[in-house]
Amino acid sequence: PTPQWLMQPELGLCPCGCIGKRRKAGFVDKTLSGGADLLRQAMFSDDVAGQRGLLQRLDARVKLVGIVGLLIVAAFVRHVSVLVALYLLTLVLARASRLSLAFFVKRVWLFIPLFTGVVVAPATLNVVTHGRILVPLGTLLGHRLGLTAQGLTAAALIVTRVATSISLVLLLTVTTPWSKLLAALRGVFVPRMFILVLGMAYRYLFHLLSAVTDMFTARKARTVARDAHAAGGRAFVAASAGALFGKAQALSEDVHMAMVSRGYRGDARSLGTLRVRFLDVQFLAAALATSVVVIGVDRMLGR
């Protein structure tokens, strides 16, 4: 087996600093590690999609229609408690699909506080959303400043809605192979040009990532001393960008000609056949019933 010290990104140094100082990773190291992490996540998603969980056994078209229906329902829900119940349902589906709950929750909640929370945070203040102040924050220019109940409720509604929507999308993408997902989109009459652009963009993302990783690895292998000047790094990035676009253009033409010569006409195809079975009908009926119940409960709470 590979020794543990070879798996570490940097050797541990003595705390007293007598044998050297720890250096911060440069942009080359960060680019290499970021590309490797992206490839690992993609391969992990393929492994999850190949398991025998609940959602993995469903027809991709039925799964797409059911989850999109739940997404539309989540967009019209107006109460936080109903959205929380719908989010708990996504956790049950993730567990039934043999997904790690730690992985599932982490993928969702790591991004919500960074983006949605920053957007809705000003709306919780009484200077934006008037109402009863629950958390006083002092005074500003002689006026009371604090968090209002109405603002906190609106912020919680937006955050839970985004969390539920991202969880549903994550369930669809993680449990469905990319080729079957494209075939399912084509099966529900999504335009062929959209499928073509989406499929090629996904494919070229990994080609470009591999090319960038190879270029940075070659540069690092040929560097004897550390480049202390940022100008040299910026010059290398600028020169590499031009070469990368040239390689991407040549690669796109070669791949397109190879696909056309093998009978490609713009339709996404997969090795497995898409068949609607009894389990798919049950899932679709359960998704429809859940949508009706969620909308009904939400309307009852609104009275």
Side-chain angles (χ1 to χ4, degrees):
T2 305
Q4 185 63 29
W5 61 271
L6 282 177
M7 305 296 293
Q8 298 177 356
E10 186 175 356
L11 296 179
L13 300 179
C14 178
C16 63
C18 58
I19 60 174
K21 297 182 179 180
R22 187 179 299 275
R23 299 185 306 176
K24 294 183 178 180
F27 71 95
V28 175
D29 296 331
K30 292 180 180 179
T31 302
L32 293 175
S33 61
D37 290 339
L38 182 59
L39 288 176
R40 279 195 296 268
Q41 292 176 7
M43 289 186 291
F44 175 73
S45 299
D46 291 339
D47 293 338
V48 172
Q51 295 180 0
R52 298 296 298 173
L54 173 62
L55 293 180
Q56 289 91 334
R57 291 182 291 167
L58 296 176
D59 184 89
R61 296 167 297 180
V62 174
K63 188 178 2 178
L64 177 64
V65 172
I67 291 182
V68 169
L70 293 176
L71 276 173
I72 296 175
V73 169
F76 287 97
V77 173
R78 298 174 297 180
H79 292 85
V80 177
S81 57
V82 180
L83 283 173
V84 170
L86 190 57
Y87 173 73
L88 293 178
L89 177 61
T90 63
L91 296 181
V92 173
L93 289 175
R95 189 60 182 173
S97 303
R98 299 183 180 181
L99 295 178
S100 172
L101 290 183
F103 159 78
F104 187 76
V105 173
K106 188 186 303 181
R107 289 286 293 268
V108 174
W109 289 99
L110 278 181
F111 297 98
I112 290 178
L114 295 178
F115 297 98
T116 310
V118 172
V119 172
V120 302
T124 60
L125 298 174
N126 61 329
V127 296
V128 178
T129 304
H130 300 285
R132 181 168 56 91
I133 296 179
L134 290 181
V135 182
L137 300 178
T139 58
L140 178 65
L141 300 178
H143 299 280
R144 292 183 62 192
L145 183 66
L147 306 180
T148 63
Q150 292 79 359
L152 291 174
T153 301
L157 179 63
I158 295 176
V159 170
T160 52
R161 178 174 293 155
V162 172
T164 304
S165 302
I166 293 178
S167 300
L168 290 171
V169 173
L170 186 61
L171 282 176
L172 176 63
T173 55
V174 171
T175 60
T176 310
W178 184 249
S179 58
K180 290 186 177 181
L181 183 58
L182 293 180
L185 290 173
R186 185 58 182 156
V188 295
F189 306 106
V190 175
R192 180 182 299 178
M193 183 56 65
F194 180 81
I195 301 297
L196 175 62
V197 172
L198 190 62
M200 298 301 287
Y202 181 82
R203 183 180 298 273
Y204 281 121
L205 174 64
F206 293 98
H207 282 299
L208 293 178
L209 180 61
S210 178
V212 170
T213 304
D214 292 341
M215 294 171 65
F216 280 129
T217 303
R219 179 182 186 272
K220 186 176 182 180
R222 289 167 175 79
T223 302
V224 178
R226 183 186 178 187
D227 190 4
H229 301 285
R234 290 193 295 267
F236 170 74
V237 170
S240 301
L244 181 63
F245 279 113
K247 293 176 64 176
Q249 177 66 25
L251 180 62
S252 63
E253 294 179 357
D254 294 341
V255 171
H256 178 70
M257 293 177 62
M259 292 172 64
V260 171
S261 65
R262 289 166 173 82
Y264 180 74
R265 296 296 181 266
D267 289 327
R269 301 181 182 274
S270 60
L271 295 177
T273 58
L274 298 178
R275 295 182 303 171
V276 178
R277 296 169 296 181
F278 183 66
L279 181 62
D280 302 315
V281 177
Q282 287 180 317
F283 174 79
L284 197 58
L288 180 60
T290 302
S291 302
V292 173
V293 170
V294 167
I295 293 296
V297 173
D298 184 69
R299 294 299 179 266
M300 290 176 58
L301 293 177
R303 294 179 180 177

